[in-house]
Amino acid sequence: MKPKLFSIIKHREVELTKHQLGNDIIAGIIVAIIALPLSVALAIASGVTPEKGLITAIIAGFLISFLGGSRVQIGGPTGAFVIIVYGIVAQYGVAGLTVATLMAGSFMVFFGLMRFGGIIKYVPYPTTTGFTSGIAIVLLSTQIKDFFGLAIDNVPSEFFGKWKMYIDNISSIDVTTAIVGIISILIIVLWPKIDKRIPGSLVALVIVTVAVKILNLPVDTIGSRFGDISNTIKFVNFKDLDISIPMMKELIRPAITIAFLASIESLLSAVVADGMIGKKHNSNMELIAQGIANIFSALFGGIPATGAIARTAANVKNGGRTPIAGMVHAIVLLLIMILFMPLAKLIPMTTLSAILIIVAYNMSEWRSFKALLKSTKSDIAVLLVTFMLTITFDLVIAIEIGMIIAMFLFVRRMSESTQISNINHYYDNLFYEEDDDDELNESINDGIHIGLKSKIMVYEINGPLFFGAANTFLEIMNEVKNNTNVLILKMKNVPNMDATAFNALRRIEKRCSNEKITLLFTELNEQPLKLLRVSGFVEKIGENSFFDTVEKAVEYADELVIN
């Protein structure tokens, strides 16, 4: 539980050479240039003023690198939060966002301290793809008004309501605004073919802003929308915020969603970065750092932050190998904010929309989405349900229901993997035979001998015995013959047993006792045997009911049948 930067300094790794420090500084500057337009655009799309995006990238970005468990993680605002932040601001205002972000940060610190970093990676891939693709579609839908300059005063918050409003007002498209927006997208898309070192989004921002100013084009800008923009960072004055206990209670669910989403995205980003640099991050320390970063972001008026995959990848590709690169990125953004923020009011809103449309496209993961449609029916169901709920309702409901469906489907799959079968025929030569009477040796119906041999039944259980397989376990008694004297359960391939399965076992034992059937166990593993001992079950039925092998149990059963 030590920040990666501290570990690097303590162990004096070769990474801290002058050459590497130079590379980290250069990478930090480049990432700052990439983060600048994104931070402003994401703040506006989230329903807050532009400078809050930069505050988030500066405060949270610095702390995520300084305290984080990854060498190269770059933190800041991302597109994943736009929808949920916009909803919080619309309903509870900036005060509600501050409270939700503070709570989310606290939850993330708790996740890290409880070492949940390894658990979050088990979130099903169809679930993450479903809500990420859904967020991308919703993010795209929020940019249509500004991109085309539609004359709409109030855009509905609901997805379908938005599109109905857009269609109803299609005739109000501002041609100049639309052309500027299209040119912005073309620059962003085509610029990497000319020079990959400078991000296309920044090039589009500069070129289009200068052109709009020189040509005096009648398009909406940040200045016309928000007026003058602050270039200072101040501690939030909580006396000015109307915070109440009922509000805090209502914001718990959104806060948990922010924490959950930030945890997933930051750890996914860290895993991607590990693959690029051949190192391993500390997931729990990363969660703690992300939590602290979100707390301080909220305290200074910022919005939720997390690890940004695209910016982290850019950091690595430009030579960043230590947390210093992320810290430099935050410092450079601070200098830009102090020196050039007043000029940001000249940026056209349609250009910011163009940047976010590209972000939405990159977030959509349409190739992964398409590939999952060829997967199993259960995976497709989780994918589509999560996707549709994200765009129809909100991210909170989508994640909750998506996870519940995924868990139920997982339980079903696990229960189907637990097989219980009669294996009498494998031990035919061990069964006691009273004489050579053909009637006694008559063979079988479904692998079960009749006559004296049917008095001993052997069942093998393969797979975990848990609540999902409990009913299957109970079905053993439905197959037991009326003249059965001994029931043997082979449990070599049962790695564990839970309370529900144990309750089913007690019911089997009770029925065996009522019907005068001796119940024997063979080859129990450590966890099931420990559970049976602690519960007093072993003491109840006797140590002599447990055997190391099926052969010994059958021999013992033969003696019981004979006597």
Side-chain angles (χ1 to χ4, degrees):
M1 302 293 281
K2 181 184 293 184
K4 189 61 66 177
L5 177 64
F6 297 0
S7 297
I8 292 173
I9 294 174
K10 180 179 179 180
H11 296 100
R12 296 185 180 181
E13 298 183 20
V14 293
E15 297 174 53
L16 284 178
T17 61
K18 290 183 179 179
H19 175 71
Q20 185 54 56
L21 285 173
N23 288 342
D24 287 331
I25 292 172
I26 293 172
I29 294 171
I30 292 173
V31 173
I33 293 172
I34 295 172
L36 174 63
L38 285 175
S39 300
V40 173
L42 290 167
I44 293 173
S46 299
V48 296
T49 51
E51 75 277 4
K52 292 187 180 297
L54 282 177
I55 290 172
T56 305
I58 293 166
I59 301 294
F62 185 89
L63 290 173
I64 286 172
S65 295
F66 182 66
L67 299 175
S70 170
R71 284 172 165 79
V72 293
Q73 181 89 281
I74 301 295
T78 67
F81 291 120
V82 168
I83 309 308
I84 189 167
V85 170
Y86 186 89
I88 293 173
V89 173
Q91 187 171 356
Y92 301 100
V94 175
L97 177 60
T98 300
V99 171
T101 308
L102 285 170
M103 289 195 293
S106 302
F107 288 139
M108 293 183 73
V109 172
F110 175 77
F111 293 164
L113 292 174
M114 292 296 102
R115 301 184 182 275
F116 288 170
I119 297 176
I120 292 176
K121 66 184 178 182
Y122 295 113
V123 177
Y125 181 59
T127 302
T128 57
T129 302
F131 71 66
T132 301
S133 299
I135 290 170
I137 297 297
V138 178
L139 177 58
L140 171 66
S141 72
T142 63
Q143 301 308 305
I144 300 301
K145 172 184 176 293
D146 287 336
F147 185 80
F148 290 105
L150 297 175
I152 303 173
D153 293 330
N154 295 308
V155 180
S157 58
E158 298 82 10
F159 178 79
F160 295 107
K162 278 189 180 73
W163 284 100
K164 183 179 183 302
M165 181 69 74
Y166 295 151
I167 294 170
D168 291 343
N169 291 273
I170 194 72
S171 59
S172 68
I173 288 178
D174 184 90
V175 176
T176 304
T177 299
I179 291 174
V180 172
I182 293 170
I183 291 173
S184 300
I185 284 184
L186 291 175
I187 294 173
I188 296 170
V189 173
L190 298 176
W191 179 257
K193 296 181 179 180
I194 300 173
D195 188 342
K196 293 183 178 180
R197 291 173 298 178
I198 303 175
S201 58
L202 182 65
V203 174
L205 202 68
V206 173
I207 292 177
V208 175
T209 300
V210 171
V212 167
K213 179 64 177 177
I214 292 175
L215 299 175
N216 197 26
L217 297 178
V219 298
D220 199 11
T221 64
I222 291 180
S224 64
R225 179 77 61 84
F226 297 98
D228 292 329
I229 305 169
S230 172
N231 62 346
T232 59
I233 300 177
K234 298 179 181 179
F235 195 82
V236 171
N237 186 352
F238 284 91
K239 294 180 179 179
D240 296 336
L241 301 180
D242 186 18
I243 299 174
S244 62
I245 298 299
M247 175 199 287
M248 296 177 65
K249 290 180 178 178
E250 292 179 20
L251 286 169
I252 288 178
R253 286 178 67 241
I256 291 175
T257 303
I258 291 173
F260 179 77
L261 190 58
S263 299
I264 292 175
E265 189 164 2
S266 63
L267 295 182
L268 284 176
S269 176
V271 169
V272 171
D274 286 349
M276 296 178 72
I277 64 175
K279 301 289 185 179
K280 188 176 181 180
H281 72 282
N282 183 326
S283 58
N284 295 310
M285 191 63 235
E286 185 65 23
L287 288 180
I288 292 174
Q290 295 280 344
I292 293 173
N294 274 279
I295 290 172
F296 276 87
S297 175
L299 291 176
F300 285 93
I303 60 178
T306 184
I309 295 177
R311 276 160 270 173
T312 299
N315 179 34
V316 174
K317 290 177 181 177
N318 286 283
R321 289 296 182 274
T322 77
I324 291 174
M327 296 159 63
V328 169
H329 134 270
I331 294 170
V332 170
L333 282 176
L334 175 61
L335 294 175
I336 292 174
M337 181 179 179
I338 294 172
L339 299 175
F340 301 108
M341 198 60 182
L343 297 177
K345 65 182 181 181
L346 303 176
I347 299 173
M349 294 298 297
T350 184
T351 300
L352 293 179
S353 292
I355 292 172
L356 290 182
I357 287 172
I358 298 300
V359 169
Y361 174 81
N362 293 331
M363 277 183 63
S364 66
E365 298 187 19
W366 64 269
R367 291 184 179 86
S368 300
F369 194 98
K370 182 180 178 181
L372 278 171
L373 291 176
K374 299 177 183 178
S375 186
T376 62
K377 291 181 179 179
S378 57
D379 286 336
I380 294 173
V382 172
L383 173 71
L384 294 180
V385 168
T386 308
F387 174 76
M388 292 304 299
L389 287 173
T390 300
I391 65 174
T392 305
F393 296 100
D394 62 53
L395 191 59
V396 179
I397 295 175
I399 291 177
E400 289 174 349
I401 296 181
M403 287 297 294
I404 289 171
I405 293 174
M407 286 187 287
F408 273 117
L409 291 172
F410 172 76
V411 169
R412 191 185 73 177
R413 287 177 186 170
M414 288 297 294
S415 64
E416 290 174 350
S417 70
T418 301
Q419 301 293 325
I420 301 175
S421 55
N422 179 281
I423 57 171
N424 275 47
H425 53 288
Y426 290 124
Y427 302 96
D428 282 346
N429 61 322
L430 295 177
F431 283 112
Y432 170 77
E433 295 185 14
E434 189 172 358
D435 54 37
D436 294 329
D437 191 334
D438 290 339
E439 205 169 301
L440 288 174
N441 293 320
E442 234 179 50
S443 275
I444 316 204
N445 197 355
D446 293 330
I448 303 173
H449 286 70
I450 62 173
L452 185 57
K453 294 181 181 180
S454 67
K455 293 187 177 183
I456 301 174
M457 303 291 289
V458 185
Y459 280 86
E460 181 177 28
I461 306 170
N462 291 291
L465 278 176
F466 69 114
F467 63 92
N471 287 334
T472 304
F473 190 29
L474 285 170
E475 289 174 3
I476 288 177
M477 296 308 299
N478 296 331
E479 298 182 17
V480 174
K481 303 300 179 181
N482 292 331
N483 62 339
T484 297
N485 293 123
V486 182
L487 173 61
I488 301 173
L489 299 181
K490 180 181 179 182
M491 299 177 66
K492 180 180 180 180
N493 296 318
V494 178
N496 49 62
M497 175 190 296
D498 72 358
T500 306
F502 173 62
N503 182 60
L505 178 60
R506 288 196 300 184
R507 291 167 64 183
I508 290 174
E509 188 277 329
K510 183 176 181 180
R511 183 171 169 185
C512 286
S513 178
N514 292 338
E515 297 182 11
K516 309 301 181 185
I517 298 173
T518 300
L519 181 61
L520 305 179
F521 297 86
T522 73
E523 305 173 43
L524 267 74
N525 286 302
E526 182 179 355
Q527 190 275 337
L529 182 58
K530 182 179 179 180
L531 175 61
L532 298 186
R533 288 190 186 283
V534 171
S535 64
F537 186 85
V538 172
E539 183 180 355
K540 178 181 179 182
I541 67 173
E543 290 279 356
N544 60 344
S545 298
F546 295 84
F547 298 86
D548 294 333
T549 65
V550 176
E551 288 77 8
K552 291 181 180 179
V554 170
E555 291 173 4
Y556 179 76
D558 269 342
E559 296 177 5
L560 292 178
V561 171
I562 294 170
N563 299 326

